[in-house]
């Protein structure tokens, strides 16, 4: 018996009991579909975290004001006003591990351009902020040193703001009004997308920090140059922990904090937080895939049970085949092909079902998914392996039957 004849015989045997074959494949179908869907969801979650890390920038830390205390009551995180522009410049100057340290302040505002207007966030910053965030410009230029120090009436806008205010027109050299201050758009930021909190990072307008302080917020001359946060980029190959410790020690000295007192600021390693989130999503994806893999094992056990029943039902047929010259390996091949066929057909249906389930999750739940060819190949190979593994014992048992005993079987 050649391979083609064995395959035709296996197909006839499976088609004879079509309903039983379909029920046998059900476990494989569910298992393959579950594996593909869970891997797609897990891969999508990892891709989203990777995009957030890329959007954040590499080796980034954020220094924030600490908690304010009033009447012995601590008012919560970031309620204090302990950070200044000078703190940022001192960090960049005195901490050797730091590449740049950019002071930033933020407020909500309404922007007007011609007949269009848009509610967004206004950032006061220095060009170092773009370097810290690895944020390139899509067009135009960044701020010049004189504009940063002299409250220049210039602005950078994000992609969302550009689309809302100017549509398809070129925003460069256009005039916008922010809190009654007329500003000239000198650059458009590259697209960043959403951050880890789901906020649109492209919905922003950036101005020199002196412009923000003196013109938009209107602080009095001589008042301390308070800032809302300091974005710090650590040099490549340098320990983030060492940089964090040095930043903390420097700020405690500058703020004249006594030993044993709490910091009036906080330092957050954003890259490590997102990497921890990525590791968690990876572990969760592996866990879900392992649970889905159990379905494949259960489906394989079902195949083995049905194949054992098939061997019992077809004992006399096996005896007749052996009597007319079929060899043990022919019988082994026939039953093994039946088991593998059940697995592969079930796997193919499972792939279609898994792709449909993945699309449904992305469409209705709005989750980011990533179905790869590798996941499909893994599911197919696993289903074929299940067929070989669980079909070998029944096939070997059928091949081991003696012709005389098989012909006498009732």
């Amino acid at each position: 018996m050649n391979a083609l004849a064995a395959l035709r015989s296996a197909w006839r045997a499976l088609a004879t009991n079509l309903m039983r074959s379909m029920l046998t494949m059900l476990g494989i179908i569910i298992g393959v579909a579950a594996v593909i869907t869970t891997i797609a969801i897990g891969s999508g979650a990892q891709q989203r975290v990777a995009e957030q890390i890329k959007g954040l920038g590499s080796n980034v830390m954020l220094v924030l004001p600490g908690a304010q205390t009033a009447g012995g009551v601590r008012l919560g995180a970031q309620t204090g006003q302990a950070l200044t522009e000078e703190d940022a410049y001192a960090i960049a100057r005195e901490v050797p591990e730091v590449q740049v340290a950019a002071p930033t302040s933020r407020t909500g505002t309404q922007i007007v351009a011609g007949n269009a207007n848009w509610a967004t966030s206004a950032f006061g910053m220095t060009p170092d902020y773009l370097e810290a965030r690895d944020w390139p410009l899509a067009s135009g230029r960044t701020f010049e040193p004189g504009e940063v120090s002299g409250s220049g009436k210039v602005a950078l806008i994000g992609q969302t703001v550009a689309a809302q205010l100017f549509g398809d027109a070129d925003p460069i050299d256009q005039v916008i009004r922010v809190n009654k201050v007329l500003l000239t758009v000198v650059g458009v930021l590259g697209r960043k997308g959403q951050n880890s909190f789901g906020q649109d990072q492209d919905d922003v307008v950036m101005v020199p920090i002196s412009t923000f302080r003196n013109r938009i917020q209107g602080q009095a001359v001589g008042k301390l140059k308070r800032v809302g946060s300091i974005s710090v980029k650590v040099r490549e190959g340098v320990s983030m922990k060492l940089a964090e410790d040095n930043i903390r020690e420097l700020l405690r000295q500058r703020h004249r904090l006594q030993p044993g007192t709490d910091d009036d600021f906080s330092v957050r390693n954003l890259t490590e937080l997102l990497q921890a989130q990525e590791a968690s999503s990876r572990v969760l994806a592996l866990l879900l895939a392992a649970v889905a893999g159990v379905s494949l094992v259960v489906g394989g056990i079902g195949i083995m049970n049905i194949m054992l029943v098939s061997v019992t039902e077809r004992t006399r047929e096996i005896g007749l085949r052996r009597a007319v010259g079929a060899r043990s390996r022919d019988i082994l091949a026939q039953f093994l092909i039946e088991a593998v066929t059940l697995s592969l057909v079930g796997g193919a249906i499972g792939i279609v079902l898994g792709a449909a389930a993945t699309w449904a999750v992305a469409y209705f739940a709005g989750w980011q998914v990533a179905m790869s060819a590798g996941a499909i190949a893994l599911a197919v190979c696993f289903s074929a392996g299940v067929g070989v593994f669980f079909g070998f014992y029944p096939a070997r048992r059928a091949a081991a039957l003696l012709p005389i005993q098989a012909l006498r079987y009732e």
Side-chain angles (χ1 to χ4, degrees):
M1 175 183 278
N2 57 32
L4 184 60
L7 184 60
R8 285 199 300 265
S9 178
W11 272 107
R12 284 196 300 268
L14 295 177
T16 302
N17 299 285
L18 187 59
M19 181 59 67
R20 187 171 72 180
S21 299
M22 290 299 297
L23 293 176
T24 303
M25 290 187 294
L26 190 59
I28 298 295
I29 293 172
I30 294 174
V32 170
V35 167
I36 289 177
T37 304
T38 53
I39 290 179
I41 293 174
S43 299
Q46 292 178 37
Q47 284 187 8
R48 183 172 183 180
V49 174
E51 290 171 1
Q52 291 170 358
I53 293 176
K54 183 179 179 181
L56 175 66
S58 59
N59 300 334
V60 175
M61 289 191 292
L62 192 63
V63 184
L64 298 169
Q68 183 180 3
T69 302
V73 178
R74 304 191 71 188
L75 301 182
Q78 302 180 39
T79 56
Q81 293 292 329
L83 298 178
T84 65
E85 293 179 34
E86 287 73 16
D87 288 334
Y89 302 144
I91 291 173
R93 184 176 59 253
E94 300 181 28
V95 179
E97 294 81 14
V98 170
Q99 181 174 332
V100 291
T104 56
S105 293
R106 176 181 179 179
T107 187
T109 189
Q110 194 80 15
I111 304 180
V112 179
N115 296 326
N117 67 89
W118 183 251
T120 185
S121 297
F123 271 80
M125 41 74 78
T126 65
D128 287 340
Y129 179 75
L130 301 180
E131 182 179 351
R133 293 288 310 278
D134 292 333
W135 202 334
L137 293 179
S139 61
R141 63 172 177 85
T142 186
F143 303 140
E144 296 176 352
E147 295 169 340
V148 175
S149 61
S151 302
K153 295 182 178 181
V154 290
L156 305 175
I157 60 175
Q159 296 279 343
T160 300
V161 174
Q164 294 296 331
L165 294 182
F166 303 104
D168 296 331
D170 186 6
I172 302 300
D173 294 331
Q174 298 290 333
V175 176
I176 60 176
R177 189 171 74 249
V178 180
N179 283 9
K180 300 181 180 180
V181 180
L182 296 179
L183 304 172
T184 301
V185 177
V186 297
V188 178
L189 299 165
R191 188 172 299 279
K192 273 285 187 179
Q194 292 184 347
N195 60 15
S196 57
F197 302 103
Q199 299 171 338
D200 184 5
Q201 298 181 91
D202 301 312
D203 190 4
V204 65
V205 57
M206 296 183 180
V207 300
I209 194 163
S210 58
T211 305
F212 183 91
R213 181 180 65 250
N214 300 327
R215 300 184 185 276
I216 294 178
Q217 281 195 327
Q219 291 186 4
V221 177
K223 188 175 181 180
L224 285 175
K225 299 177 181 179
R226 305 288 190 184
V227 295
S229 64
I230 301 174
S231 298
V232 178
K233 182 180 180 66
V234 179
R235 300 183 188 276
E236 290 290 339
V238 175
S239 169
M240 297 285 285
K241 183 65 170 59
L242 177 61
E244 180 179 344
D245 292 342
N246 289 339
I247 291 172
R248 180 170 281 107
E249 181 181 355
L250 173 63
L251 291 180
R252 286 186 64 87
Q253 292 175 359
R254 289 184 55 82
H255 296 178
R256 296 181 174 85
L257 298 178
Q258 297 298 321
T261 59
D262 294 335
D263 295 338
D264 58 356
F265 59 89
S266 61
V267 182
R268 297 183 180 178
N269 189 336
L270 302 183
T271 305
E272 287 187 356
L273 291 176
L274 289 177
Q275 287 174 346
Q277 183 180 348
E278 182 182 25
S280 299
S281 63
R282 187 184 304 114
V283 171
L284 181 60
L286 291 175
L287 178 62
L288 292 175
V291 173
V294 173
S295 300
L296 285 174
V297 175
V298 173
I301 294 174
I303 289 178
M304 183 172 65
N305 290 338
I306 293 302
M307 294 305 299
L308 287 173
V309 171
S310 179
V311 169
T312 303
E313 290 178 345
R314 297 158 61 187
T315 300
R316 289 180 62 83
E317 175 191 335
I318 294 171
L320 288 173
R321 288 180 179 274
R322 293 297 303 276
V324 297
R327 296 163 295 183
S328 296
R329 63 183 184 184
D330 296 329
I331 305 298
L332 177 68
Q334 178 184 353
F335 281 90
L336 197 57
I337 288 173
E338 290 183 21
V340 174
T341 300
L342 283 173
S343 295
L344 290 179
V345 173
I349 298 174
I351 289 172
V352 176
L353 186 61
T358 301
W359 175 86
V361 168
Y363 183 80
F364 294 105
W367 294 358
Q368 181 172 339
V369 297
M371 188 172 66
S372 63
I376 296 176
L378 176 64
V380 171
C381 293
F382 201 93
S383 61
V386 165
V388 173
F389 182 80
F390 288 99
F392 184 77
Y393 174 72
R396 185 176 181 182
R397 182 174 177 179
L401 289 175
L402 297 175
I404 299 300
Q405 294 177 347
L407 289 170
R408 290 178 177 177
Y409 182 81
E410 296 294 339

